[in-house]
Amino acid sequence: MDKDKTPQLPRRMTRSSTSSSVSTSNHVVAAEVNSLEPLTVNDLLVVGDPISLDDIISSFPGRSSQIREIMRLLGPLNSPMLPLFVYGGPSTGKTSIILQLFRHLNRPLVYSSCRTCYNHGILFESILNQLLLHRKNAANGYSNAKRCERPSDFVNFLREALTNVVNNLKKSENSISNKMTTKGKIGNMIYLVFDNFQLVREWEKSSTILPLLFNLYDMLKMPEVGLIFISNTSPDTFYSNMGYVEPVPVYFPDYTEGDIRQILLRNQLNQKLYSSFLDVALHSFFRITSQVGQLSATLKPLYEKYCEPLSDKGKGVAHNSEMNLRLSTHIKPHISSALNEIFKISSLASTEAKTCKEEKLKGKSRRSEQSEELGSLDFHMSTCAKYLLISAFLASRNPATLDASLFDSRGGSDNRKRKRKPSEKALERKETLEEELLMKGPGTFPLERLLAIFQCLVSVAEDSSDDDEQNNNALGVQSGNGSLMSDILLQLSSLCNANFIFKGRSCPIEGSTRYRSTISEDLALKVARSLKFPLSKYLYRS
Amino acid sequence: MALENHITKAVNVLRSRICDPKFIFSNDSPDSNYSKLKFMISSSVTEACNNSILLLGPRGSGKNAVLELVIQDLLQQYPDSISVIRLNGLLHSDDISAFKEMARQLCMEHQLLFSKAASFDDNSQFMVAMLKECGLAHKTVIFVLDEFDLFAKGKQRLLYSLLDAMQSITSQAVVLGISCRLDADQLLEKRVRSRFSHRKLLFLPPSMEDSQSLLVRMLTLPIDSSFPHDYAVEFNKNVRVSFLLRFKETLNKYLNIDSSVKDLLRFLFCAVSHMDLQTGFLSRENFEVAFSSIQRHPKLEFLRTDCSELELYILVCMKSLELKEQSLCNFNSVMKEYKSVHDSFQTSRNACLRAFEHLIHRELICFTDNRGQSLSVEFRPVKLLISPAELHQGIGANNSCPVS
């Protein structure tokens, strides 16, 4: 800390008293104390071998017009620019294209993602750290170069740091300009890139930070600074009553089917086989989503399945149309099931996710076969919690007035209800009730009702499994016992934390807290099946 | 090689002109805002009196740039008797940081030691004392308050103490408020308003003729040694002649939509950056490309290219629900509608739900309540953020849309 501070202090003093040039050596000394290799301005360049523009265009299929447009807007060396606003859906190549272009151009940029810098303080500090060529390490206690929370401090520090960097760039350019050609120059522009900019809207102080960042260019009044905003959402979602001069928009549309085919075909070993696979599979998936990440994640296991018949005979099989036909008939049934499961897994196709997906696929097919097997729950839960979950589900779905008839005389009352003839009026009412359920979602219930239902269920379960004493023990609850309450409340709170049950604020009229179950019917049925509990018997179906 | 070199140089010159507000506003006709403002400030500097002025006008009309020019001129004219304090409502809207920043700039200006630890009270007393001292030394302090309307939020303590300090005979200060709210002076409290001299300068967007002449001036290359003479002459001729014939149409179309200077510059910037580096001249296509690249319709674009078939179906279903005058709709009711519209219902609920979420993500639909978490996505009521006409147009233009 101290070592870091001492060289910095005089620098600030020199800046404030005389705006004379600040030497780089100061910088280097400050950094050298702390780390093995001092950071220089060159560290603001994107690492990697030089890459040509044609390479970039060929490595991003379907993006050549966007790449050219950005290149034009960035302009030749040392030309100032107005702020850019790059937007387009997720996984359309916004960030990677910008970074690759800067690698090609070999110009310094300060990249900060608003996702990793999750509030304005951290964003400010990360930008300043990069600009001041500061590296966090043990010697400075992993501290930031500057502490700054307030926007006013940030703008002051930023201006100071930027003028510093720009002066250095200009100086180094002057010194090497006679030696090198234009190719090796890094110019005197510095670019600030804000990625995932749409997230700023959800920040705590977004109403002041957003206009600040949009007006940053006008506020700094430095032509050497270029700003680039990258966002998922279009500029019109950022309107506020503050107003600002809009940045120049650049739009990245989603890929077309042809582009996606090209992208997916890259890095495939057997191009021919894969393209025939895509012929069969891609179109139906493209109907649902056009996001590369999601598509590649779902197509990967499917492709393995597609290749299954091949692997028996070895890879050397001649590829012909007959073979294609056979393979495609083999894969057809899988496609429709995979279509339904397409979004279950997050877009990253890790091996873990893949196996998980396969399990789910199996579960799905089993369920469709109406087999007696239990739908496998992919998480563990205590029996008590399961009962609690089911009772919460029942309490949310069933109207409170019917509790007595459902639970009092076990089974008897609801038989009677089923026998009742559906009259015209009842049908009508049923429809409106159904509608209401669809619109309002699960109802709320007080704690007392949940506990009452829970005790009913537990007693039913005990009766039904009298012979199965083991199960009873595993349940570990004795109805009517005073000590059970605290245990159950504990379970309830953990269920609330896991977001299975939503705990609302206390009702102003009744005064008690109300709960609401958030699980779907599928899940409830699964849980019930794992307990061998006849849930459908207790579910009120108008 | 040499040709390419000076074409790049020409682009650079044009781009730096566009990004340099001083170049744009540096014309001084007698009744321009520039000369008015300069007269006002310089008279209060020479006559040693207090003054307060509001500069009002829409965003991007050059309030700040003109003021900057004036201040620069005055600093040259009276280098010893002016000090400028700049505050921005976006940064210093709370009193504490405003006074701190003011004290910091005063210290820097007068080579005093600035203490970071000074309290709010210290800073405000320091400010008053400094004003008095400056008045005795016949030095005018110019306070520039950018985003003036934001200072008028809350207690307005900063404005009050500033204007109150100016009431004393000895002080000598000018307060310049810059705001894009034309009713900025109405936001002031009574005690502040009574101390404010109601001088207002209105900045209006330039007329069609003015912006056209500005454009020609911006795009004219200097004919001196920096460029080959032939090229510069040719370029200028090209701009002047072809402007009258060809750009004008596109430009007028653009000016009908956005007419402030900044918007014009944005347009110019796009056009210049699309300039063909082979020929080195601006063509009509450049302007048309710039026009289309600036005039974006994000929602239509989304419908046209990004939207999958399923998402289109969902949007259409929501619209038809809206037509049926259902006050509320959520995912479940949309799905019901979808089933009734689309007989061969094969896509699963999950896929639809994800498509639905994607639409929410792209902000074509949004939740009507923002209470959040109490309900799962399926049940929360949603509304369309897109007009039926837009939807119709988008569906017509979508290339993957089924014929129906």
Side-chain angles (χ1 to χ4, degrees):
Chain A
M1 269 303 264
D2 288 338
K3 280 177 192 168
D4 189 36
K5 240 176 193 168
T6 35
Q8 267 183 8
L9 216 58
R11 191 169 45 140
R12 202 159 56 218
M13 299 300 272
T14 46
R15 263 212 56 71
S16 53
S17 54
T18 61
S19 61
S20 69
S21 65
V22 181
S23 61
T24 352
S25 61
N26 240 341
H27 257 307
V28 179
V29 169
E32 236 168 6
V33 177
N34 300 323
S35 62
L36 297 172
E37 40 181 320
L39 291 172
T40 58
V41 180
N42 289 334
D43 284 291
L44 292 178
L45 304 174
V46 179
V47 284
D49 302 326
I51 186 170
S52 75
L53 190 60
D54 293 332
D55 281 346
I56 298 178
I57 289 175
S58 67
S59 63
F60 291 98
R63 280 288 168 266
S64 64
S65 72
Q66 281 79 23
I67 291 173
R68 282 179 211 283
E69 188 175 356
I70 292 179
M71 272 302 280
R72 287 203 163 130
L73 290 172
L74 288 176
L77 200 70
N78 291 344
S79 63
M81 66 170 236
L82 296 178
L84 288 191
F85 190 96
V86 180
Y87 70 101
S91 68
T92 47
K94 302 177 293 292
T95 307
S96 39
I97 284 178
I98 295 272
L99 291 180
Q100 290 301 321
L101 278 179
F102 273 93
R103 187 172 140 203
H104 162 68
L105 289 169
N106 202 27
R107 295 184 199 170
L109 93 160
V110 173
Y111 172 87
S112 44
S113 161
C114 298
R115 196 182 295 280
T116 44
C117 306
Y118 54 88
N119 68 27
H120 65 272
I122 295 175
L123 178 70
F124 293 166
E125 277 161 5
S126 122
I127 293 172
L128 289 175
N129 279 346
Q130 293 181 56
L131 273 177
L132 293 170
L133 308 169
H134 173 87
R135 186 181 279 169
K136 290 184 188 181
N137 55 21
N140 55 31
Y142 299 99
S143 61
N144 290 309
K146 291 267 160 66
R147 260 205 73 224
C148 93
E149 266 293 315
R150 291 168 186 276
S152 53
D153 294 341
F154 170 65
V155 172
N156 284 339
F157 286 139
L158 184 68
R159 187 175 287 132
E160 192 177 305
L162 280 174
T163 38
N164 232 337
V165 171
V166 169
N167 283 341
N168 283 340
L169 284 173
K170 274 183 183 159
K171 205 183 286 172
S172 63
E173 192 182 26
N174 284 338
S175 64
I176 58 169
S177 59
N178 33 20
K179 276 182 276 173
M180 287 166 85
T181 52
T182 38
K183 279 236 163 169
K185 276 188 192 168
I186 56 176
N188 54 22
M189 284 284 289
I190 180 147
Y191 297 85
L192 305 185
V193 180
F194 298 89
D195 201 356
N196 295 316
F197 198 61
Q198 78 280 358
L199 294 174
V200 179
R201 289 176 305 166
E202 279 127 48
W203 288 358
E204 218 175 307
K205 286 186 178 170
S206 63
S207 57
T208 56
I209 299 300
L210 263 184
L212 165 72
L213 290 176
F214 274 125
N215 283 319
L216 197 58
Y217 182 77
D218 289 332
M219 236 180 260
L220 288 172
K221 295 196 186 90
M222 294 174 70
E224 292 93 353
V225 180
L227 297 179
I228 300 172
F229 302 103
I230 304 176
S231 161
N232 266 348
T233 53
S234 50
D236 61 342
T237 57
F238 287 89
Y239 285 144
S240 64
N241 53 4
M242 258 302 289
Y244 50 85
V245 177
E246 281 177 57
V248 180
V250 182
Y251 178 52
F252 278 63
D254 275 10
Y255 292 108
T256 61
E257 200 174 334
D259 297 335
I260 286 192
R261 172 182 275 273
Q262 254 182 313
I263 293 167
L264 291 175
L265 268 176
R266 290 176 65 208
N267 307 325
Q268 287 297 335
L269 287 174
N270 194 340
Q271 297 265 343
K272 243 184 184 172
L273 186 63
Y274 200 77
S275 95
S276 64
F277 164 66
L278 287 181
D279 284 337
V280 183
L282 185 60
H283 185 71
S284 44
F285 281 99
F286 187 73
R287 234 190 111 242
I288 291 179
T289 179
S290 50
Q291 287 186 22
V292 182
Q294 284 177 345
L295 280 176
S296 70
T298 32
L299 287 178
K300 206 177 169 200
L302 211 60
Y303 179 57
E304 276 161 20
K305 207 153 271 166
Y306 183 75
C307 294
E308 258 171 22
L310 278 182
S311 55
D312 312 333
K313 297 176 188 173
K315 297 270 177 195
V317 179
H319 199 73
N320 53 26
S321 54
E322 189 193 334
M323 192 67 190
N324 266 345
L325 203 67
R326 212 168 64 75
L327 285 176
S328 61
T329 47
H330 167 73
I331 199 72
K332 273 275 162 60
H334 294 292
I335 288 180
S336 57
S337 69
L339 264 181
N340 291 342
E341 300 290 325
I342 184 165
F343 298 113
K344 282 250 164 135
I345 310 296
S346 64
S347 55
L348 280 180
S350 64
T351 48
E352 208 177 337
K354 206 175 64 196
T355 52
C356 183
K357 159 156 292 177
E358 267 165 5
E359 255 169 47
K360 276 200 177 158
L361 268 176
K362 274 179 217 154
K364 175 86 186 170
S365 58
R366 250 184 267 143
R367 221 181 308 152
S368 57
E369 284 161 30
Q370 301 290 321
S371 67
E372 283 286 53
E373 277 183 53
L374 304 174
S376 55
L377 271 179
D378 30 15
F379 51 89
H380 178 72
M381 207 188 252
S382 73
T383 321
C384 172
K386 280 178 184 170
Y387 272 112
L388 205 54
L389 199 58
I390 290 174
S391 36
F393 177 71
L394 285 177
S396 266
R397 285 297 154 95
N398 293 346
T401 45
L402 286 176
D403 277 356
S405 59
L406 277 174
F407 294 108
D408 252 5
S409 49
R410 291 156 214 152
S413 57
D414 58 334
N415 271 346
R416 175 176 56 78
K417 190 145 25 74
R418 277 204 192 121
K419 275 181 211 155
R420 203 174 60 190
K421 269 184 203 161
S423 66
E424 284 273 302
K425 220 173 216 174
L427 269 178
E428 215 168 87
R429 206 174 54 207
K430 184 177 147 190
E431 245 167 47
T432 54
L433 266 176
E434 227 167 55
E435 195 115 294
E436 210 172 313
L437 183 68
L438 280 181
M439 288 307 298
K440 278 191 182 162
T444 59
F445 49 86
L447 183 61
E448 290 78 20
R449 189 169 161 230
L450 173 69
L451 292 179
I453 293 179
F454 174 70
Q455 289 192 346
C456 284
L457 291 191
V458 169
S459 63
V460 171
E462 273 173 356
D463 284 354
S464 64
S465 59
D466 264 343
D467 48 332
D468 194 4
E469 196 62 33
Q470 200 184 350
N471 188 11
N472 203 353
N473 282 346
L475 213 63
V477 281
Q478 299 283 314
S479 47
N481 196 342
S483 67
L484 112 147
M485 288 308 286
S486 65
D487 199 30
I488 289 187
L489 288 180
L490 208 64
Q491 295 277 8
L492 181 64
S493 75
S494 67
L495 281 179
C496 285
N497 284 338
N499 218 2
F500 284 118
I501 298 173
F502 174 77
K503 187 178 173 184
R505 270 165 295 166
S506 62
C507 171
I509 301 168
E510 291 175 39
S512 63
T513 318
R514 294 188 76 88
Y515 294 82
R516 186 203 294 272
S517 132
T518 56
I519 61 171
S520 65
E521 197 167 338
D522 276 353
L523 184 62
L525 280 172
K526 253 189 203 173
V527 172
R529 234 178 292 150
S530 74
L531 285 173
K532 298 203 176 84
F533 176 80
L535 179 66
S536 46
K537 209 166 96 187
Y538 292 95
L539 204 56
Y540 171 71
R541 298 213 180 268
S542 39
Chain B
M1 189 63 200
L3 182 74
E4 258 175 51
N5 249 343
H6 60 247
I7 291 173
T8 347
K9 206 167 155 194
V11 172
N12 265 352
V13 165
L14 294 181
R15 282 169 69 117
S16 33
R17 269 187 200 169
I18 291 168
C19 295
D20 179 19
K22 276 173 208 145
F23 182 85
I24 305 154
F25 296 100
S26 61
N27 60 332
D28 33 340
S29 61
D31 58 333
S32 69
N33 277 324
Y34 170 78
S35 10
K36 279 186 211 162
L37 188 63
K38 191 172 175 186
F39 173 74
M40 279 189 216
I41 302 179
S42 63
S43 68
S44 53
V45 170
T46 47
E47 287 160 28
C49 60
N50 291 313
N51 211 342
S52 45
I53 310 164
L54 274 183
L55 312 182
L56 306 177
R59 226 161 249 287
S61 51
K63 306 177 288 291
N64 233 324
V66 168
L67 178 62
E68 244 3 84
L69 278 175
V70 169
I71 286 177
Q72 221 168 36
D73 283 3
L74 291 176
L75 277 176
Q76 272 175 359
Q77 222 170 330
Y78 318 97
D80 293 327
S81 53
I82 292 179
S83 64
V84 186
I85 307 294
R86 288 188 177 85
L87 296 180
N88 191 314
L90 276 173
L91 306 176
H92 316 108
S93 59
D94 62 319
D95 294 329
I96 297 173
S97 64
F99 273 109
K100 198 171 183 181
E101 177 68 17
M102 215 185 272
R104 195 186 69 87
Q105 291 189 16
L106 277 171
C107 287
M108 252 169 67
E109 200 73 19
H110 299 99
Q111 279 91 34
L112 296 169
L113 200 64
F114 169 63
S115 146
K116 263 187 179 175
S119 69
F120 170 75
D121 222 36
D122 295 341
N123 281 335
S124 73
Q125 274 171 14
F126 173 72
M127 198 257 319
V128 173
M130 278 303 287
L131 269 184
K132 207 172 268 173
E133 290 297 319
C134 285
L136 289 176
H138 293 293
K139 197 165 181 179
T140 306
V141 186
I142 300 179
F143 292 94
V144 180
L145 307 179
D146 203 353
E147 314 284 350
F148 184 75
D149 45 323
L150 293 180
F151 286 103
K153 277 183 187 157
K155 294 250 182 209
Q156 310 188 349
R157 211 181 308 164
L158 173 86
L159 290 177
Y160 176 71
S161 46
L162 201 58
L163 293 168
D164 195 44
M166 283 166 56
Q167 297 299 310
S168 67
I169 319 155
T170 50
S171 78
Q172 192 176 339
V174 181
V175 173
L176 292 159
I178 303 175
S179 174
C180 49
R181 278 187 70 164
L182 296 184
D183 63 341
D185 57 332
Q186 302 300 313
L187 297 171
L188 298 175
E189 270 175 34
K190 200 174 159 197
R191 56 173 188 164
V192 180
R193 206 184 308 164
S194 62
R195 288 169 168 80
F196 200 86
S197 56
H198 286 263
R199 239 173 265 233
K200 278 189 257 180
L201 268 186
L202 214 55
F203 284 72
L204 292 173
S207 67
M208 200 73 94
E209 286 72 37
D210 285 349
S211 35
Q212 280 168 5
S213 64
L214 172 69
L215 197 137
V216 171
R217 198 165 65 91
M218 297 281 298
L219 293 180
T220 308
L221 288 179
I223 299 180
D224 52 23
S225 57
S226 55
F227 293 103
H229 188 262
D230 306 348
Y231 174 67
V233 168
E234 183 70 14
F235 187 92
N236 294 345
K237 204 179 96 193
N238 195 25
V239 166
R240 209 162 298 144
V241 173
S242 57
F243 172 75
L244 292 172
L245 301 174
R246 291 180 290 178
F247 305 162
K248 217 170 187 174
E249 199 182 320
T250 330
L251 183 74
N252 289 351
K253 216 162 49 179
Y254 183 70
L255 287 178
N256 285 335
I257 302 164
D258 280 323
S259 56
S260 75
V261 179
K262 271 280 165 61
D263 287 317
L264 183 70
L265 290 181
R266 205 158 63 106
F267 176 62
L268 263 187
F269 176 77
C270 278
V272 168
S273 52
H274 280 103
M275 190 169 110
D276 190 359
L277 289 182
Q278 242 74 55
T279 58
F281 297 113
L282 280 166
S283 69
R284 182 178 162 194
E285 284 76 43
N286 296 150
F287 282 84
E288 270 158 14
V289 167
F291 182 69
S292 65
S293 75
I294 278 194
Q295 231 42 62
R296 292 266 178 207
H297 304 279
K299 280 174 184 160
L300 270 183
E301 267 166 0
F302 176 77
L303 282 180
R304 197 157 35 218
T305 58
D306 294 4
C307 219
S308 70
E309 214 172 293
L310 183 61
E311 285 157 9
L312 278 183
Y313 266 120
I314 290 177
L315 285 177
V316 171
C317 288
M318 283 189 69
K319 199 201 128 201
S320 66
L321 278 180
E322 217 167 64
L323 286 183
K324 282 181 192 167
E325 291 181 356
Q326 274 198 12
S327 53
L328 277 175
C329 70
N330 62 10
F331 178 66
N332 286 320
S333 56
V334 172
M335 281 309 288
K336 212 171 140 200
E337 181 73 20
Y338 178 57
K339 274 178 203 169
S340 68
V341 169
H342 197 49
D343 301 328
S344 55
F345 174 72
Q346 338 111 321
T347 33
S348 81
R349 227 181 129 76
N350 276 326
C352 290
L353 188 58
R354 282 312 285 257
F356 191 72
E357 277 171 357
H358 187 217
L359 286 177
I360 290 173
H361 196 88
R362 297 301 290 268
E363 312 217 346
L364 260 72
I365 55 182
C366 76
F367 295 122
T368 45
D369 59 341
N370 42 10
R371 267 173 302 163
Q373 274 64 54
S374 76
L375 281 170
S376 49
V377 180
E378 300 155 73
F379 298 113
R380 290 175 68 184
V382 288
K383 65 180 176 207
L384 267 180
L385 290 181
I386 185 169
S387 67
E390 272 180 309
L391 185 61
H392 193 77
Q393 205 182 338
I395 288 175
N398 191 300
N399 25 27
S400 68
C401 183
V403 221
S404 59

